[in-house]
Amino acid sequence: MVAYADPLASTGRRVALAGIAASALLATLNIVVGIVTKSTSVVATGVEFAGDVLASTVVLVGMSHPYGHGRIETLAAFLVGVILGAGGIGICWNSLRAVGETHPPPSPAAIAVLIVAIVVRGLMSLVKFRVGRRIQSAALVADAWNDTVDILAATAALTAVGLAMYDSSRFLAADHYGGFAVGIVVVATGVRVLRDASLELMDTMPRHEMIVSVRAAALAVEGVLGVDKIHARKTGFRYHVDLHIEVDPELTVAASHVIGGRVRTRVRDQLEWVADVLVHVEPASGLPRTATRAP
């Protein structure tokens, strides 16, 4: 099977690859530094980053699937949500198990690696949100939310490590509770991603303003007297639209077909998020028999 050469998908794949590389680097740094400095929060953050490598790989696979199987992209977003939820529960469990252990407080290296993580994740999140929303990629937007979670998680870990270093006699356990906070944020975001992907899998209609734009494009075509119904479902990066237009009932089938073709072309040309349009032509009601015919 020949892959569908979609430039939007190519852009998404490049961003996903950059995300995988960044996640792998941050995971390695945080896990190594966390183990060396004996910081549960930093190790938990590193484990979460390691999960991001898997999540971003799932996103990449979804974007690389051949045209005709667009639901793979949405399923990839759903799997990202599952990974986030399961990973967050694991982080919470392991962090609470370590509460009460006695060990030296974390070193400044733990602070440094978390600051690096916050900066890198902030940049990656901005890029993924911008590209994901532009190409209508549920999986890439889900991955951007994952990066946002990482910022919150790293910030929570940074606060916990700072407290443990400030006064280890009173706040040493804060490092472990920081790891638990990381897990909670991860679980919450996993639930959100699962919800958004589930809505797409259930063929939820697009936003109201998107439907309005389809109606306006159709009504601008000469010969279209009304728009009766509009349905749309997302497959991959774009929507497939079912559009019922009303025309003069005195028109021939051939003339009505020409108008339908013009509507299909106009909607696709004006709205980049529309992959294709199936136009149904219906007779308009209440028109006099002398109504003007479209050419």
Side-chain angles (χ1 to χ4, degrees), residues 211 214-215 217-219 226-232 241-245 260 263-264 267 277-282:
I211 295 297
V214 173
R215 183 182 298 274
L219 289 173
V227 175
D228 183 30
K229 301 174 185 175
I230 303 175
H231 301 289
V241 178
D242 288 339
L243 179 61
H244 295 245
I245 63 171
V263 169
R264 177 175 180 265
V267 172
V277 185
L278 179 60
V279 181
H280 305 266
V281 179
E282 300 176 356

Side-chain angles (χ1 to χ4, degrees), residues 50-129:
D52 293 343
V53 176
L54 177 58
S56 294
T57 301
V58 170
V59 172
L60 182 62
V61 171
M63 291 178 176
S64 303
H65 205 72
Y67 177 75
H69 297 79
R71 289 296 185 193
I72 278 290
E73 203 270 342
T74 306
L75 287 172
F78 187 88
L79 187 52
V80 168
V82 173
I83 292 171
L84 285 171
I89 292 173
I91 291 171
C92 289
W93 173 259
N94 289 323
S95 297
L96 289 180
R97 284 198 313 166
V99 173
E101 293 182 357
T102 302
H103 55 78
S107 70
I111 296 288
V113 75
L114 289 171
I115 292 175
V116 170
I118 291 171
V119 173
V120 173
R121 277 304 193 231
L123 293 174
M124 291 304 303
S125 177
L126 289 174
V127 171
K128 289 178 183 178
F129 269 126

Side-chain angles (χ1 to χ4, degrees), residues 203-225:
D203 282 338
T204 301
M205 288 280 285
R207 300 187 307 273
H208 174 70
E209 57 267 26
M210 297 170 74
I211 295 297
V212 170
S213 64
V214 173
R215 183 182 298 274
L219 289 173
V221 175
E222 183 179 1
V224 177
L225 303 180

Side-chain angles (χ1 to χ4, degrees), residues 222-225 247-253 255-256 259 262 287-295:
E222 183 179 1
V224 177
L225 303 180
V247 301
D248 181 357
E250 296 294 320
L251 291 176
T252 64
V253 173
S256 299
I259 294 174
R262 291 173 180 170
L287 290 179
R289 295 184 63 83
T290 56
T292 304
R293 287 177 170 80

Side-chain angles (χ1 to χ4, degrees), residues 9-287:
S10 298
T11 301
R13 284 194 293 270
R14 289 194 296 270
V15 174
L17 280 171
I20 292 172
S23 294
L25 176 61
L26 292 175
T28 302
L29 285 175
N30 279 266
I31 291 175
V32 171
V33 172
I35 292 174
V36 171
T37 62
K38 301 185 183 302
S39 171
T40 302
S41 293
V42 176
V43 172
T45 305
V47 171
E48 202 275 328
F49 290 160
D52 293 343
V53 176
L54 177 58
S56 294
T57 301
V58 170
V59 172
L60 182 62
V61 171
M63 291 178 176
S64 303
H65 205 72
Y67 177 75
H69 297 79
R71 289 296 185 193
I72 278 290
E73 203 270 342
T74 306
L75 287 172
F78 187 88
L79 187 52
V80 168
V82 173
I83 292 171
L84 285 171
I89 292 173
I91 291 171
C92 289
W93 173 259
N94 289 323
S95 297
L96 289 180
R97 284 198 313 166
V99 173
E101 293 182 357
T102 302
H103 55 78
S107 70
I111 296 288
V113 75
L114 289 171
I115 292 175
V116 170
I118 291 171
V119 173
V120 173
R121 277 304 193 231
L123 293 174
M124 291 304 303
S125 177
L126 289 174
V127 171
K128 289 178 183 178
F129 269 126
R130 180 175 299 176
V131 175
R133 286 168 177 165
R134 178 166 60 86
I135 69 177
Q136 296 291 314
S137 170
L140 197 58
V141 171
D143 211 25
W145 277 114
N146 191 10
D147 287 344
T148 303
V149 169
D150 294 340
I151 297 172
L152 297 175
T155 301
L158 184 64
T159 302
V161 170
L163 286 172
M165 291 177 59
Y166 172 72
D167 190 344
S168 60
S169 63
R170 296 172 57 193
F171 301 120
L172 185 60
D175 183 36
H176 306 300
Y177 288 119
F180 179 78
V182 170
I184 291 296
V185 175
V186 173
V187 171
T189 303
V191 171
R192 175 180 179 136
V193 172
L194 282 171
R195 173 186 174 276
D196 292 345
S198 297
L199 289 176
E200 285 193 12
L201 289 173
M202 292 186 293
D203 282 338
T204 301
M205 288 280 285
R207 300 187 307 273
H208 174 70
E209 57 267 26
M210 297 170 74
I211 295 297
V212 170
S213 64
V214 173
R215 183 182 298 274
L219 289 173
V221 175
E222 183 179 1
V224 177
L225 303 180
V227 175
D228 183 30
K229 301 174 185 175
I230 303 175
H231 301 289
R233 58 185 175 83
K234 191 175 184 184
T235 303
F237 300 111
R238 294 186 174 96
Y239 284 85
H240 289 258
V241 178
D242 288 339
L243 179 61
H244 295 245
I245 63 171
E246 296 179 343
V247 301
D248 181 357
E250 296 294 320
L251 291 176
T252 64
V253 173
S256 299
H257 179 73
V258 170
I259 294 174
R262 291 173 180 170
V263 169
R264 177 175 180 265
T265 299
R266 187 179 187 91
V267 172
R268 292 179 64 189
D269 288 347
Q270 286 194 354
L271 307 174
E272 64 176 11
W273 52 269
V274 174
D276 205 356
V277 185
L278 179 60
V279 181
H280 305 266
V281 179
E282 300 176 356
S285 60
L287 290 179

